[in-house]
Amino acid sequence: MSPEYAMEGSFSVKSDTYSFGVLLLEVASGLKISSSHLLMDFPSLIAYAWSLWKDGNARELVDSSIVENCSLHEVLRCIHIGLLCVQDDPNARPLMSSTVFMLENETAALSTPREPVYFRKRKNQTEDRRDNIQISLNDMTMTMQEGR
């Protein structure tokens, strides 16, 4: 979900670009955007990808099964394009037509992405409640529904 939609509820033609960028990073890494527990010191896949890319170590992000079947240069280009797509400012993201053009044409110049915004996942309130509930010995469960 793009930051402008998540924070302000506004949707733009660049919101899809953001989602596509997340998808590119997920495919290249073999990780889900929600796999922050696998990324040790990073709050999200986007933060992890950015850190590796800016340090010149983007190849460490690439899933081993991708390396076996694809050109490393092409995968690194996909990561670069993915980072361009997840820029926090919608105006800094490419249009989807430009994104497709960059993917199809290896000679198309790529701009340098800026550090994207990433959000630290808050602990789910349900998990907090679960921590305070004692285990039942009678095999019965109770479900309480709450509105948002």
Side-chain angles (χ1 to χ4, degrees), residues 24-25 28-31 45-64 66-67 71-83 113:
L24 280 174
L25 295 175
S29 68
L31 299 169
L45 174 59
I46 295 171
Y48 182 57
W50 169 256
S51 177
L52 291 172
W53 188 83
K54 79 174 169 86
D55 293 340
N57 297 319
R59 70 185 68 77
E60 291 178 29
L61 180 65
V62 180
D63 185 67
S64 60
I66 299 281
V67 174
S71 156
L72 182 60
H73 173 73
E74 289 176 358
V75 179
L76 294 176
R77 186 171 176 85
C78 287
I79 291 170
H80 189 150
I81 294 168
L83 288 170

PDB file of all heavy atoms in Angstrom, residues 24-25 28-31 45-64 66-67 71-83 113:
ATOM      1  N   LEU A  24       8.339  -6.182  -7.224  1.00  0.00           N
ATOM      2  CA  LEU A  24       9.674  -6.428  -7.799  1.00  0.00           C
ATOM      3  C   LEU A  24      10.676  -6.817  -6.712  1.00  0.00           C
ATOM      4  O   LEU A  24      11.464  -7.753  -6.887  1.00  0.00           O
ATOM      5  CB  LEU A  24      10.189  -5.180  -8.533  1.00  0.00           C
ATOM      6  CG  LEU A  24       9.666  -4.915  -9.926  1.00  0.00           C
ATOM      7  CD1 LEU A  24      10.180  -3.567 -10.437  1.00  0.00           C
ATOM      8  CD2 LEU A  24      10.069  -6.020 -10.886  1.00  0.00           C
ATOM      9  N   LEU A  25      10.651  -6.102  -5.600  1.00  0.00           N
ATOM     10  CA  LEU A  25      11.582  -6.403  -4.498  1.00  0.00           C
ATOM     11  C   LEU A  25      11.279  -7.768  -3.877  1.00  0.00           C
ATOM     12  O   LEU A  25      12.198  -8.509  -3.521  1.00  0.00           O
ATOM     13  CB  LEU A  25      11.530  -5.296  -3.440  1.00  0.00           C
ATOM     14  CG  LEU A  25      12.008  -3.916  -3.899  1.00  0.00           C
ATOM     15  CD1 LEU A  25      11.785  -2.885  -2.802  1.00  0.00           C
ATOM     16  CD2 LEU A  25      13.467  -3.949  -4.330  1.00  0.00           C
ATOM     17  N   ALA A  28      12.519 -10.501  -6.426  1.00  0.00           N
ATOM     18  CA  ALA A  28      13.990 -10.557  -6.484  1.00  0.00           C
ATOM     19  C   ALA A  28      14.586 -11.169  -5.222  1.00  0.00           C
ATOM     20  O   ALA A  28      15.569 -11.907  -5.287  1.00  0.00           O
ATOM     21  CB  ALA A  28      14.559  -9.162  -6.717  1.00  0.00           C
ATOM     22  N   SER A  29      13.985 -10.873  -4.073  1.00  0.00           N
ATOM     23  CA  SER A  29      14.553 -11.333  -2.798  1.00  0.00           C
ATOM     24  C   SER A  29      13.998 -12.677  -2.328  1.00  0.00           C
ATOM     25  O   SER A  29      14.615 -13.334  -1.491  1.00  0.00           O
ATOM     26  CB  SER A  29      14.284 -10.286  -1.716  1.00  0.00           C
ATOM     27  OG  SER A  29      12.900 -10.219  -1.430  1.00  0.00           O
ATOM     28  N   GLY A  30      12.818 -13.036  -2.817  1.00  0.00           N
ATOM     29  CA  GLY A  30      12.175 -14.241  -2.308  1.00  0.00           C
ATOM     30  C   GLY A  30      11.541 -14.026  -0.945  1.00  0.00           C
ATOM     31  O   GLY A  30      11.128 -14.970  -0.285  1.00  0.00           O
ATOM     32  N   LEU A  31      11.462 -12.756  -0.507  1.00  0.00           N
ATOM     33  CA  LEU A  31      10.872 -12.417   0.790  1.00  0.00           C
ATOM     34  C   LEU A  31       9.569 -11.663   0.579  1.00  0.00           C
ATOM     35  O   LEU A  31       9.378 -11.027  -0.451  1.00  0.00           O
ATOM     36  CB  LEU A  31      11.831 -11.530   1.590  1.00  0.00           C
ATOM     37  CG  LEU A  31      13.181 -12.118   1.932  1.00  0.00           C
ATOM     38  CD1 LEU A  31      14.110 -11.047   2.480  1.00  0.00           C
ATOM     39  CD2 LEU A  31      13.012 -13.242   2.952  1.00  0.00           C
ATOM     40  N   LEU A  45      11.208  -4.974   4.274  1.00  0.00           N
ATOM     41  CA  LEU A  45      11.949  -5.389   3.082  1.00  0.00           C
ATOM     42  C   LEU A  45      12.480  -4.165   2.336  1.00  0.00           C
ATOM     43  O   LEU A  45      13.598  -4.175   1.825  1.00  0.00           O
ATOM     44  CB  LEU A  45      11.044  -6.221   2.172  1.00  0.00           C
ATOM     45  CG  LEU A  45      11.624  -6.624   0.814  1.00  0.00           C
ATOM     46  CD1 LEU A  45      12.899  -7.444   0.967  1.00  0.00           C
ATOM     47  CD2 LEU A  45      10.585  -7.391   0.009  1.00  0.00           C
ATOM     48  N   ILE A  46      11.687  -3.101   2.279  1.00  0.00           N
ATOM     49  CA  ILE A  46      12.125  -1.883   1.579  1.00  0.00           C
ATOM     50  C   ILE A  46      13.362  -1.301   2.249  1.00  0.00           C
ATOM     51  O   ILE A  46      14.324  -0.921   1.576  1.00  0.00           O
ATOM     52  CB  ILE A  46      10.978  -0.855   1.518  1.00  0.00           C
ATOM     53  CG1 ILE A  46       9.828  -1.396   0.659  1.00  0.00           C
ATOM     54  CG2 ILE A  46      11.467   0.486   0.989  1.00  0.00           C
ATOM     55  CD1 ILE A  46       8.570  -0.567   0.708  1.00  0.00           C
ATOM     56  N   ALA A  47      13.373  -1.235   3.575  1.00  0.00           N
ATOM     57  CA  ALA A  47      14.530  -0.719   4.303  1.00  0.00           C
ATOM     58  C   ALA A  47      15.760  -1.585   4.066  1.00  0.00           C
ATOM     59  O   ALA A  47      16.870  -1.082   3.888  1.00  0.00           O
ATOM     60  CB  ALA A  47      14.220  -0.638   5.800  1.00  0.00           C
ATOM     61  N   TYR A  48      15.570  -2.882   4.068  1.00  0.00           N
ATOM     62  CA  TYR A  48      16.659  -3.827   3.843  1.00  0.00           C
ATOM     63  C   TYR A  48      17.223  -3.677   2.432  1.00  0.00           C
ATOM     64  O   TYR A  48      18.436  -3.576   2.241  1.00  0.00           O
ATOM     65  CB  TYR A  48      16.136  -5.248   4.081  1.00  0.00           C
ATOM     66  CG  TYR A  48      17.159  -6.343   3.941  1.00  0.00           C
ATOM     67  CD1 TYR A  48      18.327  -6.349   4.697  1.00  0.00           C
ATOM     68  CD2 TYR A  48      16.935  -7.404   3.064  1.00  0.00           C
ATOM     69  CE1 TYR A  48      19.258  -7.373   4.568  1.00  0.00           C
ATOM     70  CE2 TYR A  48      17.848  -8.434   2.941  1.00  0.00           C
ATOM     71  CZ  TYR A  48      19.013  -8.412   3.689  1.00  0.00           C
ATOM     72  OH  TYR A  48      19.926  -9.420   3.560  1.00  0.00           O
ATOM     73  N   ALA A  49      16.320  -3.617   1.445  1.00  0.00           N
ATOM     74  CA  ALA A  49      16.753  -3.460   0.051  1.00  0.00           C
ATOM     75  C   ALA A  49      17.506  -2.144  -0.134  1.00  0.00           C
ATOM     76  O   ALA A  49      18.548  -2.102  -0.794  1.00  0.00           O
ATOM     77  CB  ALA A  49      15.547  -3.521  -0.883  1.00  0.00           C
ATOM     78  N   TRP A  50      16.991  -1.069   0.446  1.00  0.00           N
ATOM     79  CA  TRP A  50      17.639   0.235   0.314  1.00  0.00           C
ATOM     80  C   TRP A  50      19.040   0.203   0.923  1.00  0.00           C
ATOM     81  O   TRP A  50      20.001   0.686   0.325  1.00  0.00           O
ATOM     82  CB  TRP A  50      16.805   1.334   0.968  1.00  0.00           C
ATOM     83  CG  TRP A  50      17.573   2.610   1.080  1.00  0.00           C
ATOM     84  CD1 TRP A  50      18.150   3.136   2.198  1.00  0.00           C
ATOM     85  CD2 TRP A  50      17.914   3.498   0.008  1.00  0.00           C
ATOM     86  NE1 TRP A  50      18.812   4.296   1.887  1.00  0.00           N
ATOM     87  CE2 TRP A  50      18.681   4.543   0.550  1.00  0.00           C
ATOM     88  CE3 TRP A  50      17.646   3.504  -1.353  1.00  0.00           C
ATOM     89  CZ2 TRP A  50      19.178   5.580  -0.219  1.00  0.00           C
ATOM     90  CZ3 TRP A  50      18.143   4.550  -2.120  1.00  0.00           C
ATOM     91  CH2 TRP A  50      18.890   5.572  -1.546  1.00  0.00           C
ATOM     92  N   SER A  51      19.161  -0.357   2.108  1.00  0.00           N
ATOM     93  CA  SER A  51      20.449  -0.408   2.792  1.00  0.00           C
ATOM     94  C   SER A  51      21.484  -1.160   1.961  1.00  0.00           C
ATOM     95  O   SER A  51      22.616  -0.693   1.798  1.00  0.00           O
ATOM     96  CB  SER A  51      20.288  -1.071   4.158  1.00  0.00           C
ATOM     97  OG  SER A  51      21.525  -1.181   4.804  1.00  0.00           O
ATOM     98  N   LEU A  52      21.092  -2.307   1.438  1.00  0.00           N
ATOM     99  CA  LEU A  52      22.019  -3.084   0.609  1.00  0.00           C
ATOM    100  C   LEU A  52      22.364  -2.339  -0.677  1.00  0.00           C
ATOM    101  O   LEU A  52      23.525  -2.302  -1.093  1.00  0.00           O
ATOM    102  CB  LEU A  52      21.422  -4.453   0.277  1.00  0.00           C
ATOM    103  CG  LEU A  52      21.301  -5.433   1.450  1.00  0.00           C
ATOM    104  CD1 LEU A  52      20.532  -6.672   1.035  1.00  0.00           C
ATOM    105  CD2 LEU A  52      22.674  -5.806   1.998  1.00  0.00           C
ATOM    106  N   TRP A  53      21.367  -1.718  -1.320  1.00  0.00           N
ATOM    107  CA  TRP A  53      21.597  -1.017  -2.584  1.00  0.00           C
ATOM    108  C   TRP A  53      22.535   0.175  -2.391  1.00  0.00           C
ATOM    109  O   TRP A  53      23.480   0.355  -3.141  1.00  0.00           O
ATOM    110  CB  TRP A  53      20.264  -0.562  -3.185  1.00  0.00           C
ATOM    111  CG  TRP A  53      20.432  -0.004  -4.556  1.00  0.00           C
ATOM    112  CD1 TRP A  53      20.513  -0.699  -5.724  1.00  0.00           C
ATOM    113  CD2 TRP A  53      20.589   1.369  -4.906  1.00  0.00           C
ATOM    114  NE1 TRP A  53      20.697   0.165  -6.774  1.00  0.00           N
ATOM    115  CE2 TRP A  53      20.752   1.436  -6.307  1.00  0.00           C
ATOM    116  CE3 TRP A  53      20.605   2.550  -4.175  1.00  0.00           C
ATOM    117  CZ2 TRP A  53      20.917   2.626  -6.981  1.00  0.00           C
ATOM    118  CZ3 TRP A  53      20.776   3.750  -4.842  1.00  0.00           C
ATOM    119  CH2 TRP A  53      20.932   3.782  -6.228  1.00  0.00           C
ATOM    120  N   LYS A  54      22.281   0.988  -1.371  1.00  0.00           N
ATOM    121  CA  LYS A  54      23.119   2.188  -1.176  1.00  0.00           C
ATOM    122  C   LYS A  54      24.560   1.822  -0.799  1.00  0.00           C
ATOM    123  O   LYS A  54      25.486   2.565  -1.105  1.00  0.00           O
ATOM    124  CB  LYS A  54      22.511   3.146  -0.159  1.00  0.00           C
ATOM    125  CG  LYS A  54      22.710   2.779   1.279  1.00  0.00           C
ATOM    126  CD  LYS A  54      22.203   3.882   2.189  1.00  0.00           C
ATOM    127  CE  LYS A  54      22.140   3.446   3.589  1.00  0.00           C
ATOM    128  NZ  LYS A  54      23.132   3.485   4.474  1.00  0.00           N
ATOM    129  N   ASP A  55      24.743   0.660  -0.173  1.00  0.00           N
ATOM    130  CA  ASP A  55      26.094   0.206   0.186  1.00  0.00           C
ATOM    131  C   ASP A  55      26.762  -0.572  -0.938  1.00  0.00           C
ATOM    132  O   ASP A  55      27.875  -1.073  -0.771  1.00  0.00           O
ATOM    133  CB  ASP A  55      26.043  -0.662   1.450  1.00  0.00           C
ATOM    134  CG  ASP A  55      25.644   0.121   2.693  1.00  0.00           C
ATOM    135  OD1 ASP A  55      25.764   1.370   2.683  1.00  0.00           O
ATOM    136  OD2 ASP A  55      25.200  -0.512   3.675  1.00  0.00           O
ATOM    137  N   GLY A  56      26.077  -0.697  -2.078  1.00  0.00           N
ATOM    138  CA  GLY A  56      26.642  -1.431  -3.207  1.00  0.00           C
ATOM    139  C   GLY A  56      26.594  -2.939  -3.057  1.00  0.00           C
ATOM    140  O   GLY A  56      27.338  -3.659  -3.716  1.00  0.00           O
ATOM    141  N   ASN A  57      25.708  -3.421  -2.192  1.00  0.00           N
ATOM    142  CA  ASN A  57      25.612  -4.858  -1.927  1.00  0.00           C
ATOM    143  C   ASN A  57      24.260  -5.447  -2.310  1.00  0.00           C
ATOM    144  O   ASN A  57      23.802  -6.412  -1.691  1.00  0.00           O
ATOM    145  CB  ASN A  57      25.865  -5.133  -0.435  1.00  0.00           C
ATOM    146  CG  ASN A  57      27.254  -4.731  -0.017  1.00  0.00           C
ATOM    147  OD1 ASN A  57      28.210  -4.959  -0.746  1.00  0.00           O
ATOM    148  ND2 ASN A  57      27.368  -4.117   1.143  1.00  0.00           N
ATOM    149  N   ALA A  58      23.614  -4.887  -3.318  1.00  0.00           N
ATOM    150  CA  ALA A  58      22.276  -5.347  -3.709  1.00  0.00           C
ATOM    151  C   ALA A  58      22.260  -6.824  -4.083  1.00  0.00           C
ATOM    152  O   ALA A  58      21.239  -7.488  -3.932  1.00  0.00           O
ATOM    153  CB  ALA A  58      21.739  -4.495  -4.855  1.00  0.00           C
ATOM    154  N   ARG A  59      23.379  -7.366  -4.523  1.00  0.00           N
ATOM    155  CA  ARG A  59      23.413  -8.792  -4.894  1.00  0.00           C
ATOM    156  C   ARG A  59      23.109  -9.688  -3.704  1.00  0.00           C
ATOM    157  O   ARG A  59      22.658 -10.805  -3.871  1.00  0.00           O
ATOM    158  CB  ARG A  59      24.739  -9.150  -5.533  1.00  0.00           C
ATOM    159  CG  ARG A  59      25.933  -9.153  -4.595  1.00  0.00           C
ATOM    160  CD  ARG A  59      27.259  -9.407  -5.278  1.00  0.00           C
ATOM    161  NE  ARG A  59      27.692  -8.344  -6.142  1.00  0.00           N
ATOM    162  CZ  ARG A  59      28.219  -7.189  -5.738  1.00  0.00           C
ATOM    163  NH1 ARG A  59      28.377  -6.964  -4.445  1.00  0.00           N
ATOM    164  NH2 ARG A  59      28.588  -6.273  -6.588  1.00  0.00           N
ATOM    165  N   GLU A  60      23.332  -9.182  -2.481  1.00  0.00           N
ATOM    166  CA  GLU A  60      23.012  -9.966  -1.285  1.00  0.00           C
ATOM    167  C   GLU A  60      21.504 -10.116  -1.089  1.00  0.00           C
ATOM    168  O   GLU A  60      21.059 -11.016  -0.380  1.00  0.00           O
ATOM    169  CB  GLU A  60      23.628  -9.322  -0.039  1.00  0.00           C
ATOM    170  CG  GLU A  60      25.140  -9.400  -0.009  1.00  0.00           C
ATOM    171  CD  GLU A  60      25.727  -8.715   1.219  1.00  0.00           C
ATOM    172  OE1 GLU A  60      25.040  -8.675   2.259  1.00  0.00           O
ATOM    173  OE2 GLU A  60      26.862  -8.228   1.124  1.00  0.00           O
ATOM    174  N   LEU A  61      20.721  -9.235  -1.717  1.00  0.00           N
ATOM    175  CA  LEU A  61      19.270  -9.305  -1.611  1.00  0.00           C
ATOM    176  C   LEU A  61      18.688 -10.394  -2.505  1.00  0.00           C
ATOM    177  O   LEU A  61      17.641 -10.942  -2.216  1.00  0.00           O
ATOM    178  CB  LEU A  61      18.655  -7.944  -2.003  1.00  0.00           C
ATOM    179  CG  LEU A  61      17.142  -7.813  -1.950  1.00  0.00           C
ATOM    180  CD1 LEU A  61      16.652  -7.945  -0.504  1.00  0.00           C
ATOM    181  CD2 LEU A  61      16.703  -6.492  -2.544  1.00  0.00           C
ATOM    182  N   VAL A  62      19.398 -10.745  -3.555  1.00  0.00           N
ATOM    183  CA  VAL A  62      18.873 -11.650  -4.580  1.00  0.00           C
ATOM    184  C   VAL A  62      18.746 -13.071  -4.045  1.00  0.00           C
ATOM    185  O   VAL A  62      19.689 -13.632  -3.493  1.00  0.00           O
ATOM    186  CB  VAL A  62      19.778 -11.622  -5.834  1.00  0.00           C
ATOM    187  CG1 VAL A  62      19.237 -12.551  -6.911  1.00  0.00           C
ATOM    188  CG2 VAL A  62      19.909 -10.204  -6.370  1.00  0.00           C
ATOM    189  N   ASP A  63      17.552 -13.632  -4.220  1.00  0.00           N
ATOM    190  CA  ASP A  63      17.275 -15.001  -3.807  1.00  0.00           C
ATOM    191  C   ASP A  63      18.136 -15.973  -4.619  1.00  0.00           C
ATOM    192  O   ASP A  63      18.328 -15.785  -5.815  1.00  0.00           O
ATOM    193  CB  ASP A  63      15.789 -15.298  -4.025  1.00  0.00           C
ATOM    194  CG  ASP A  63      15.383 -16.655  -3.511  1.00  0.00           C
ATOM    195  OD1 ASP A  63      15.411 -16.878  -2.289  1.00  0.00           O
ATOM    196  OD2 ASP A  63      15.038 -17.504  -4.357  1.00  0.00           O
ATOM    197  N   SER A  64      18.634 -17.011  -3.985  1.00  0.00           N
ATOM    198  CA  SER A  64      19.528 -17.965  -4.652  1.00  0.00           C
ATOM    199  C   SER A  64      18.863 -18.653  -5.844  1.00  0.00           C
ATOM    200  O   SER A  64      19.526 -18.947  -6.844  1.00  0.00           O
ATOM    201  CB  SER A  64      20.042 -19.005  -3.657  1.00  0.00           C
ATOM    202  OG  SER A  64      18.957 -19.721  -3.099  1.00  0.00           O
ATOM    203  N   ILE A  66      16.807 -17.352  -7.891  1.00  0.00           N
ATOM    204  CA  ILE A  66      16.789 -16.381  -9.000  1.00  0.00           C
ATOM    205  C   ILE A  66      18.157 -16.361  -9.683  1.00  0.00           C
ATOM    206  O   ILE A  66      18.241 -16.348 -10.911  1.00  0.00           O
ATOM    207  CB  ILE A  66      16.441 -14.970  -8.491  1.00  0.00           C
ATOM    208  CG1 ILE A  66      15.069 -14.931  -7.838  1.00  0.00           C
ATOM    209  CG2 ILE A  66      16.559 -13.935  -9.586  1.00  0.00           C
ATOM    210  CD1 ILE A  66      13.902 -14.869  -8.768  1.00  0.00           C
ATOM    211  N   VAL A  67      19.209 -16.385  -8.898  1.00  0.00           N
ATOM    212  CA  VAL A  67      20.572 -16.333  -9.444  1.00  0.00           C
ATOM    213  C   VAL A  67      20.838 -17.515 -10.365  1.00  0.00           C
ATOM    214  O   VAL A  67      21.510 -17.383 -11.388  1.00  0.00           O
ATOM    215  CB  VAL A  67      21.615 -16.285  -8.298  1.00  0.00           C
ATOM    216  CG1 VAL A  67      23.026 -16.386  -8.828  1.00  0.00           C
ATOM    217  CG2 VAL A  67      21.458 -15.005  -7.492  1.00  0.00           C
ATOM    218  N   SER A  71      20.027 -13.650 -15.207  1.00  0.00           N
ATOM    219  CA  SER A  71      21.246 -12.850 -15.212  1.00  0.00           C
ATOM    220  C   SER A  71      21.261 -11.953 -13.973  1.00  0.00           C
ATOM    221  O   SER A  71      20.268 -11.276 -13.679  1.00  0.00           O
ATOM    222  CB  SER A  71      21.274 -11.994 -16.482  1.00  0.00           C
ATOM    223  OG  SER A  71      22.067 -10.856 -16.316  1.00  0.00           O
ATOM    224  N   LEU A  72      22.361 -11.944 -13.251  1.00  0.00           N
ATOM    225  CA  LEU A  72      22.479 -11.107 -12.059  1.00  0.00           C
ATOM    226  C   LEU A  72      22.280  -9.636 -12.425  1.00  0.00           C
ATOM    227  O   LEU A  72      21.633  -8.883 -11.692  1.00  0.00           O
ATOM    228  CB  LEU A  72      23.831 -11.325 -11.376  1.00  0.00           C
ATOM    229  CG  LEU A  72      24.057 -10.534 -10.087  1.00  0.00           C
ATOM    230  CD1 LEU A  72      23.013 -10.898  -9.031  1.00  0.00           C
ATOM    231  CD2 LEU A  72      25.454 -10.774  -9.548  1.00  0.00           C
ATOM    232  N   HIS A  73      22.819  -9.230 -13.567  1.00  0.00           N
ATOM    233  CA  HIS A  73      22.672  -7.838 -14.019  1.00  0.00           C
ATOM    234  C   HIS A  73      21.185  -7.470 -14.165  1.00  0.00           C
ATOM    235  O   HIS A  73      20.770  -6.387 -13.745  1.00  0.00           O
ATOM    236  CB  HIS A  73      23.409  -7.642 -15.347  1.00  0.00           C
ATOM    237  CG  HIS A  73      23.175  -6.310 -15.966  1.00  0.00           C
ATOM    238  ND1 HIS A  73      23.746  -5.146 -15.467  1.00  0.00           N
ATOM    239  CD2 HIS A  73      22.403  -5.933 -17.015  1.00  0.00           C
ATOM    240  CE1 HIS A  73      23.335  -4.122 -16.200  1.00  0.00           C
ATOM    241  NE2 HIS A  73      22.526  -4.574 -17.149  1.00  0.00           N
ATOM    242  N   GLU A  74      20.381  -8.363 -14.732  1.00  0.00           N
ATOM    243  CA  GLU A  74      18.956  -8.093 -14.914  1.00  0.00           C
ATOM    244  C   GLU A  74      18.230  -8.000 -13.571  1.00  0.00           C
ATOM    245  O   GLU A  74      17.370  -7.147 -13.381  1.00  0.00           O
ATOM    246  CB  GLU A  74      18.311  -9.180 -15.769  1.00  0.00           C
ATOM    247  CG  GLU A  74      18.721  -9.136 -17.224  1.00  0.00           C
ATOM    248  CD  GLU A  74      18.139 -10.283 -18.030  1.00  0.00           C
ATOM    249  OE1 GLU A  74      17.437 -11.153 -17.460  1.00  0.00           O
ATOM    250  OE2 GLU A  74      18.379 -10.299 -19.249  1.00  0.00           O
ATOM    251  N   VAL A  75      18.587  -8.866 -12.637  1.00  0.00           N
ATOM    252  CA  VAL A  75      17.943  -8.848 -11.322  1.00  0.00           C
ATOM    253  C   VAL A  75      18.322  -7.581 -10.567  1.00  0.00           C
ATOM    254  O   VAL A  75      17.469  -6.955  -9.927  1.00  0.00           O
ATOM    255  CB  VAL A  75      18.305 -10.108 -10.506  1.00  0.00           C
ATOM    256  CG1 VAL A  75      17.648 -10.073  -9.145  1.00  0.00           C
ATOM    257  CG2 VAL A  75      17.907 -11.365 -11.247  1.00  0.00           C
ATOM    258  N   LEU A  76      19.575  -7.171 -10.653  1.00  0.00           N
ATOM    259  CA  LEU A  76      19.996  -5.938  -9.987  1.00  0.00           C
ATOM    260  C   LEU A  76      19.285  -4.733 -10.587  1.00  0.00           C
ATOM    261  O   LEU A  76      18.936  -3.786  -9.876  1.00  0.00           O
ATOM    262  CB  LEU A  76      21.514  -5.777 -10.064  1.00  0.00           C
ATOM    263  CG  LEU A  76      22.320  -6.819  -9.291  1.00  0.00           C
ATOM    264  CD1 LEU A  76      23.813  -6.615  -9.509  1.00  0.00           C
ATOM    265  CD2 LEU A  76      21.980  -6.781  -7.806  1.00  0.00           C
ATOM    266  N   ARG A  77      19.039  -4.772 -11.888  1.00  0.00           N
ATOM    267  CA  ARG A  77      18.276  -3.705 -12.549  1.00  0.00           C
ATOM    268  C   ARG A  77      16.839  -3.689 -12.028  1.00  0.00           C
ATOM    269  O   ARG A  77      16.268  -2.626 -11.787  1.00  0.00           O
ATOM    270  CB  ARG A  77      18.323  -3.892 -14.063  1.00  0.00           C
ATOM    271  CG  ARG A  77      17.684  -2.760 -14.831  1.00  0.00           C
ATOM    272  CD  ARG A  77      17.951  -2.899 -16.334  1.00  0.00           C
ATOM    273  NE  ARG A  77      17.282  -1.880 -17.080  1.00  0.00           N
ATOM    274  CZ  ARG A  77      17.751  -0.655 -17.300  1.00  0.00           C
ATOM    275  NH1 ARG A  77      18.943  -0.310 -16.830  1.00  0.00           N
ATOM    276  NH2 ARG A  77      17.062   0.234 -17.989  1.00  0.00           N
ATOM    277  N   CYS A  78      16.263  -4.863 -11.827  1.00  0.00           N
ATOM    278  CA  CYS A  78      14.906  -4.944 -11.273  1.00  0.00           C
ATOM    279  C   CYS A  78      14.848  -4.364  -9.855  1.00  0.00           C
ATOM    280  O   CYS A  78      13.885  -3.681  -9.496  1.00  0.00           O
ATOM    281  CB  CYS A  78      14.412  -6.388 -11.257  1.00  0.00           C
ATOM    282  SG  CYS A  78      13.988  -7.014 -12.894  1.00  0.00           S
ATOM    283  N   ILE A  79      15.864  -4.627  -9.060  1.00  0.00           N
ATOM    284  CA  ILE A  79      15.928  -4.063  -7.708  1.00  0.00           C
ATOM    285  C   ILE A  79      16.018  -2.537  -7.788  1.00  0.00           C
ATOM    286  O   ILE A  79      15.322  -1.822  -7.061  1.00  0.00           O
ATOM    287  CB  ILE A  79      17.120  -4.658  -6.918  1.00  0.00           C
ATOM    288  CG1 ILE A  79      16.863  -6.133  -6.622  1.00  0.00           C
ATOM    289  CG2 ILE A  79      17.374  -3.868  -5.631  1.00  0.00           C
ATOM    290  CD1 ILE A  79      18.062  -6.884  -6.069  1.00  0.00           C
ATOM    291  N   HIS A  80      16.857  -2.040  -8.680  1.00  0.00           N
ATOM    292  CA  HIS A  80      17.005  -0.595  -8.878  1.00  0.00           C
ATOM    293  C   HIS A  80      15.651   0.022  -9.261  1.00  0.00           C
ATOM    294  O   HIS A  80      15.219   1.030  -8.671  1.00  0.00           O
ATOM    295  CB  HIS A  80      18.050  -0.344  -9.961  1.00  0.00           C
ATOM    296  CG  HIS A  80      18.457   1.080 -10.115  1.00  0.00           C
ATOM    297  ND1 HIS A  80      19.703   1.439 -10.525  1.00  0.00           N
ATOM    298  CD2 HIS A  80      17.788   2.252  -9.945  1.00  0.00           C
ATOM    299  CE1 HIS A  80      19.788   2.754 -10.589  1.00  0.00           C
ATOM    300  NE2 HIS A  80      18.628   3.262 -10.246  1.00  0.00           N
ATOM    301  N   ILE A  81      14.963  -0.589 -10.205  1.00  0.00           N
ATOM    302  CA  ILE A  81      13.661  -0.093 -10.648  1.00  0.00           C
ATOM    303  C   ILE A  81      12.646  -0.206  -9.506  1.00  0.00           C
ATOM    304  O   ILE A  81      11.835   0.704  -9.284  1.00  0.00           O
ATOM    305  CB  ILE A  81      13.190  -0.839 -11.909  1.00  0.00           C
ATOM    306  CG1 ILE A  81      14.121  -0.508 -13.075  1.00  0.00           C
ATOM    307  CG2 ILE A  81      11.746  -0.492 -12.251  1.00  0.00           C
ATOM    308  CD1 ILE A  81      13.940  -1.386 -14.306  1.00  0.00           C
ATOM    309  N   GLY A  82      12.707  -1.292  -8.762  1.00  0.00           N
ATOM    310  CA  GLY A  82      11.821  -1.453  -7.611  1.00  0.00           C
ATOM    311  C   GLY A  82      11.997  -0.334  -6.607  1.00  0.00           C
ATOM    312  O   GLY A  82      11.020   0.208  -6.077  1.00  0.00           O
ATOM    313  N   LEU A  83      13.242   0.048  -6.349  1.00  0.00           N
ATOM    314  CA  LEU A  83      13.508   1.147  -5.417  1.00  0.00           C
ATOM    315  C   LEU A  83      13.023   2.490  -5.965  1.00  0.00           C
ATOM    316  O   LEU A  83      12.578   3.350  -5.205  1.00  0.00           O
ATOM    317  CB  LEU A  83      15.000   1.206  -5.069  1.00  0.00           C
ATOM    318  CG  LEU A  83      15.486   0.077  -4.167  1.00  0.00           C
ATOM    319  CD1 LEU A  83      17.000   0.068  -4.073  1.00  0.00           C
ATOM    320  CD2 LEU A  83      14.859   0.192  -2.774  1.00  0.00           C
ATOM    321  N   PRO A 113      17.612   6.394  -7.089  1.00  0.00           N
ATOM    322  CA  PRO A 113      16.515   6.521  -6.122  1.00  0.00           C
ATOM    323  C   PRO A 113      16.985   7.221  -4.854  1.00  0.00           C
ATOM    324  O   PRO A 113      18.164   7.180  -4.504  1.00  0.00           O
ATOM    325  CB  PRO A 113      16.121   5.069  -5.839  1.00  0.00           C
ATOM    326  CG  PRO A 113      17.310   4.259  -6.181  1.00  0.00           C
ATOM    327  CD  PRO A 113      18.064   5.018  -7.236  1.00  0.00           C
TER     328      PRO A 113
END
